[in-house]
């Protein structure tokens, strides 16, 4: 039936996503892994694996695409991945004499793993709902998935950011259908591991302006 919400598939997806997140951040399972980049990726792999299992188990005809509506894979790869790595890496090199390209690409892959689940799978499963209901459900599930339940100001701000991100990144996915694009937007905050200061905020604003401008131009 058109518009049917596959509740069981969503439950399976989310159970796997939360279980793998719990094992990664609430146990010592990753303690023996010395590679910090691999640890980062394993913390975010749950939504991708959960989505893959749900799609296969329930035979959901869902096409996940890296390039989406773009003519080829190279275009979104250059705009949403290579460009921010070069820009942020160059600015970091100027101020800190280091070029963290591997870390930046790791953050992008982490964002991709999450977005396969949140946008590629869950948003598509809930698209028959009214927009606000869909945003509310995704944002709350996304927040709970992080397994940080302390009642603090920063956590409440984070919840608000996730609501805004669910709306904004959701619009990007609806417009581009590109997992590379939404992974780029997702990673904006995660690029900066030491907090957001004036320089970081300027970089985020610059990337947002360039990316949104590119999306508008491309759709003309």
């Amino acid at each position: 039936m058109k518009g049917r919400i596959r509740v069981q598939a969503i439950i399976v997806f989310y159970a796997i996503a939360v279980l793998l997140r719990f094992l990664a951040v609430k146990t010592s399972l990753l303690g023996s892994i010395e590679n910090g980049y691999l640890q980062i990726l394993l913390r975010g792999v749950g939504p991708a694996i959960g989505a893959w299992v749900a799609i296969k188990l329930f035979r959901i005809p869902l096409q996940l695409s890296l390039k989406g509506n773009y003519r080829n894979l190279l275009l979104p790869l250059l705009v949403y991945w290579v460009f921010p790595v070069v820009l942020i890496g160059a600015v970091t090199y100027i101020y800190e004499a280091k070029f963290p390209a591997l870390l930046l690409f790791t953050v992008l892959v982490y964002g991709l793993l999450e977005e396969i689940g949140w946008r590629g799978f869950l948003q598509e499963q809930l698209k028959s709902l009214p927009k606000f209901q869909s945003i509310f459900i995704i944002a709350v599930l996304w927040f709970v998935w992080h397994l940080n339940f302390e009642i603090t100001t920063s956590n409440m701000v984070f919840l608000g950011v996730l609501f805004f991100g669910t709306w904004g990144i959701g619009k990007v996915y609806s417009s581009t259908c590109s997992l590379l694009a939404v992974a780029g937007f997702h990673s904006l905050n995660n690029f900066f591991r030491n907090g957001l200061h004036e320089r970081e905020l300027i970089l985020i604003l610059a990337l947002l302006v360039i990316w949104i401008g590119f999306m508008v131009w491309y759709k003309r």
Side-chain angles (χ1 to χ4, degrees), residues 188-220:
L188 279 176
N189 183 55
N190 294 339
F191 279 138
F192 307 106
R193 315 296 291 182
N194 298 320
L196 298 178
H197 308 287
E198 182 179 1
R199 187 175 75 211
E200 289 79 10
L201 291 172
I202 291 173
L203 285 170
I204 289 176
L205 181 60
L207 286 169
L208 282 173
V209 169
I210 292 169
W211 284 347
I212 293 172
F214 173 74
M215 289 172 56
V216 172
W217 171 82
Y218 190 83
K219 290 190 69 175
R220 291 179 60 184

Side-chain angles (χ1 to χ4, degrees), residues 14 18 21-22 25-26 139-159 162:
Y14 195 63
V18 171
R21 178 71 175 183
F22 176 83
V25 303
K26 297 297 184 180
V140 170
L141 293 181
W142 193 7
F143 177 79
V144 172
W145 174 81
H146 285 86
L147 301 179
N148 186 354
F149 305 116
E150 296 180 9
I151 307 300
T152 62
T153 301
S154 61
N155 245 7
M156 294 303 99
V157 170
F158 180 58
L159 177 59
L162 291 187

Side-chain angles (χ1 to χ4, degrees), residues 61-208:
L62 183 62
Q63 296 296 321
L64 301 175
S65 174
L66 293 176
K67 74 179 185 68
N69 297 332
Y70 294 104
R71 288 189 297 270
N72 54 62
L73 183 63
L74 183 61
L75 192 56
L77 182 64
L78 288 174
V79 173
Y80 300 108
W81 284 49
V82 175
F83 176 68
V85 168
V86 172
L87 176 63
I88 297 172
V91 172
T92 303
Y93 184 80
I94 292 171
Y95 285 93
E96 302 177 21
K98 59 182 180 181
F99 194 91
L102 183 56
L103 174 60
L104 294 172
F105 272 115
T106 302
V107 170
L108 282 163
V109 175
Y110 176 95
L112 175 63
L113 292 171
E114 278 202 46
E115 287 305 315
I116 289 171
W118 306 128
R119 249 55 63 181
F121 176 78
L122 187 56
Q123 179 171 302
E124 287 299 298
Q125 297 309 301
L126 299 177
K127 64 183 179 182
S128 63
L129 291 178
K131 184 63 65 177
F132 178 78
Q133 288 185 25
S134 174
I135 291 172
F136 181 84
I137 292 171
I138 295 171
V140 170
L141 293 181
W142 193 7
F143 177 79
V144 172
W145 174 81
H146 285 86
L147 301 179
N148 186 354
F149 305 116
E150 296 180 9
I151 307 300
T152 62
T153 301
S154 61
N155 245 7
M156 294 303 99
V157 170
F158 180 58
L159 177 59
V161 169
L162 291 187
F163 269 96
F164 181 75
T166 299
W167 168 78
I169 301 175
K171 289 185 72 69
V172 172
Y173 190 70
S174 296
S175 176
T176 67
C177 296
S178 168
L179 290 171
L180 287 179
V182 291
F185 279 88
H186 180 122
S187 300
L188 279 176
N189 183 55
N190 294 339
F191 279 138
F192 307 106
R193 315 296 291 182
N194 298 320
L196 298 178
H197 308 287
E198 182 179 1
R199 187 175 75 211
E200 289 79 10
L201 291 172
I202 291 173
L203 285 170
I204 289 176
L205 181 60
L207 286 169
L208 282 173

